[in-house]
């Protein structure tokens, strides 16, 4: 073999025809066909219910008429966005949404972590399973049933209302008092979701190497110091990822629970962007306006996720991407 012939394949490496690359890809897919078949329903679901509906965003920039359809409706540009930003309710809606979201984040986010740590410290496996089952139950209760229960608990004759009268509460339904709206919403969220949210952290706790605890014991660390210096640092990446995802939902407070609980007496603190979209879009049939408001929400959430992810990546080297 002449000098230089051996290096010829190296010069052409990575420049093979497209058909060859596709053939190789096809072989890989066929070899792992069982895995791709399992993935196929998920791909179809996201295409049909997450990507295809994005086409409807166009109506945020139109004066949408259902009879004329998306293609036939008049184009109005950013008129609906301007109407929302300059409207009488924009400031109140934004403030209420942020206030409710941050209260839920600050008081609700740490609870599943604390619950997971406490369950992890239980010695009895049987008792641990009982605690988990009890804390998971509210998650599987229908939102309508859950809100009906809350209304009964904090109603004029509810047991929580009667209990609060012992500490100076003046009586009457607590849902008609603006100052109690956020505590009721946040505490009921914690009750409903703390057990279910702890599953992720319990899974992360099972992946901690037991040798780390043995080494901490040798160094004289008690249970509390083991939690501070071993357990929490090991699940910190999981906590950060979950926090980033939660930050991306700050503007997306769901309307279902709010609509089922609030009434006209507490609109000043309970009316949020998602409930406003529901009223204007479905009740008043202003589809373009509600789509514009929903798009504004989504864009803000997207920006918040990017910012939170970048900050996390720079400070902790943990990020979604």
């Amino acid at each position: 073999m002449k000098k230089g012939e051996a290096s010829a394949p190296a010069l052409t490496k990575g420049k093979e025809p497209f058909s060859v690359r596709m053939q190789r890809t096809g072989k890989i897919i066929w070899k792992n066909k069982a895995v791709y078949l399992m993935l196929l329903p998920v791909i179809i679901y996201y295409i049909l219910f997450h990507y295809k509906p994005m086409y409807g965003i166009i109506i945020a920039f139109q004066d949408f008429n259902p009879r004329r359809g998306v293609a036939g409706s008049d184009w109005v540009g950013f008129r609906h966005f301007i109407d929302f930003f300059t409207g009488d309710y924009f400031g109140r809606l934004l403030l209420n949404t942020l206030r409710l979201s941050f209260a839920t984040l600050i008081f609700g986010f740490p609870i599943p972590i604390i619950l997971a740590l406490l369950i992890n410290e239980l010695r009895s496996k049987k008792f641990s399973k009982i605690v988990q089952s009890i804390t998971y139950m509210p998650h599987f209760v229908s939102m309508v049933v859950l809100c009906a229960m809350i209304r009964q608990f904090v109603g004029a004759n509810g047991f929580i209302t009667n209990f609060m009268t012992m500490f100076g509460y003046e009586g009457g339904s607590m849902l008609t008092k603006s100052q109690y709206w956020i505590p009721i919403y946040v505490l009921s969220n914690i009750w409903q979701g703390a057990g279910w949210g702890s599953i992720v952290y319990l899974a992360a706790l099972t992946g901690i190497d037991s040798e780390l605890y043995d080494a901490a014991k040798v160094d004289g660390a008690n249970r509390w110091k083991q939690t501070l210096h071993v357990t929490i640092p090991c699940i910190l990446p999981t906590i950060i990822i979950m926090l980033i995802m939660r930050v991306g939902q700050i503007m997306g407070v769901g309307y279902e629970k709010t609509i089922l609980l609030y009434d006209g007496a507490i609109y000043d603190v309970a009316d949020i962007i998602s409930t406003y979209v529901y009223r204007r879009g479905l009740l008043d049939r202003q589809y373009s306006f509600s789509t514009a408001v929903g798009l504004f929400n989504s864009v803000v959430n997207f920006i918040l996720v990017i910012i939170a992810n970048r900050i996390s990546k720079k400070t902790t080297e943990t990020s979604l991407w």
Side-chain angles (χ1 to χ4, degrees):
M1 184 179 294
K2 295 181 180 180
K3 186 177 180 181
E5 288 184 355
S7 61
L11 293 174
T12 59
K13 187 177 181 181
K15 297 182 180 180
E16 55 191 15
F18 176 76
S19 59
V20 176
R21 295 200 300 270
M22 290 299 296
Q23 187 177 6
R24 182 183 293 111
T25 303
K27 289 180 179 179
I28 294 173
I29 293 175
W30 180 254
K31 183 178 179 180
N32 302 281
K33 56 183 178 294
V35 178
Y36 285 99
L37 282 174
M38 293 174 61
L39 183 63
L40 188 60
V42 179
I43 295 174
I44 294 174
Y45 167 78
Y46 274 92
I47 291 174
L48 292 179
F49 298 103
H50 291 268
Y51 289 98
K52 185 180 177 182
M54 287 185 182
Y55 173 70
I57 292 174
I58 296 174
I59 70 174
F61 306 93
Q62 296 178 325
D63 186 9
F64 179 69
N65 186 322
R67 184 176 58 83
R68 297 168 63 183
V70 176
S73 297
D74 297 328
W75 191 266
V76 297
F78 291 93
R79 190 184 75 186
H80 300 301
F81 294 92
I82 295 172
D83 290 345
F84 176 59
F85 296 147
T86 58
D88 297 333
Y89 298 107
F90 175 71
R92 188 185 75 179
L93 294 171
L94 184 62
L95 177 63
N96 291 344
T97 301
L98 293 176
R99 184 163 48 191
L100 194 61
S101 291
F102 279 111
T104 305
L105 179 64
I106 293 171
F107 296 103
F109 182 78
I111 299 300
I113 303 171
I114 297 171
L115 179 62
L117 292 173
L118 293 174
I119 292 175
N120 187 60
E121 292 296 321
L122 294 175
R123 295 300 189 186
S124 172
K125 295 296 182 183
K126 184 176 181 180
F127 183 64
S128 174
K129 291 180 180 179
I130 293 173
V131 172
Q132 290 181 58
S133 299
I134 293 173
T135 55
Y136 294 168
M137 284 180 184
H139 175 78
F140 298 100
V141 178
S142 166
M143 182 63 72
V144 176
V145 175
L146 185 79
C147 291
M149 293 170 63
I150 295 171
R151 282 189 170 276
Q152 290 292 327
F153 295 161
V154 300
N157 297 313
F159 80 92
I160 294 179
T161 305
N162 293 332
F163 177 76
M164 291 296 294
T165 55
M166 299 168 56
F167 299 92
Y169 179 64
E170 61 276 14
S173 175
M174 298 179 71
L175 284 174
T176 60
K177 309 291 193 302
S178 297
Q179 64 270 30
Y180 297 112
W181 163 248
I182 291 181
I184 291 172
Y185 188 97
V186 173
L187 291 174
S188 61
N189 256 17
I190 293 172
W191 172 51
Q192 183 183 16
W196 186 255
S198 66
I199 293 177
V200 175
Y201 304 107
L202 286 170
L205 289 169
T206 59
I208 300 176
D209 191 348
S210 59
E211 293 183 0
L212 295 174
Y213 291 106
D214 295 335
K217 290 177 183 177
V218 171
D219 291 337
N222 55 25
R223 298 293 293 275
W224 174 244
K225 290 185 178 179
Q226 290 175 38
T227 301
L228 288 179
H229 300 292
V230 177
T231 306
I232 294 179
C234 286
I235 66 171
L236 189 59
T238 303
I239 295 174
I240 292 173
I241 293 297
M242 297 301 293
L243 179 60
I244 293 173
M245 296 175 66
R246 181 61 188 83
V247 168
Q249 301 172 4
I250 282 179
M251 295 291 290
V253 182
Y255 66 90
E256 300 95 341
K257 186 175 182 180
T258 305
I259 288 176
L260 291 169
L261 288 180
Y262 78 166
D263 58 34
I266 57 172
Y267 260 27
D268 58 325
V269 295
D271 197 21
I272 56 178
I273 292 178
S274 59
T275 57
Y276 184 67
V277 170
Y278 168 78
R279 291 200 309 274
R280 294 292 297 268
L282 295 181
L283 301 184
D284 298 342
R285 299 182 181 180
Q286 298 184 19
Y287 306 113
S288 293
F289 183 86
S290 61
T291 303
V293 178
L295 180 58
F296 163 74
N297 251 10
S298 300
V299 170
V300 173
N301 282 335
F302 180 68
I303 293 172
L304 289 174
V305 168
I306 293 176
I307 294 173
N309 187 75
R310 183 166 295 181
I311 293 174
S312 175
K313 192 172 184 179
K314 287 185 177 181
T315 56
T316 66
E317 298 182 357
T318 300
S319 62
L320 288 172
W321 63 85

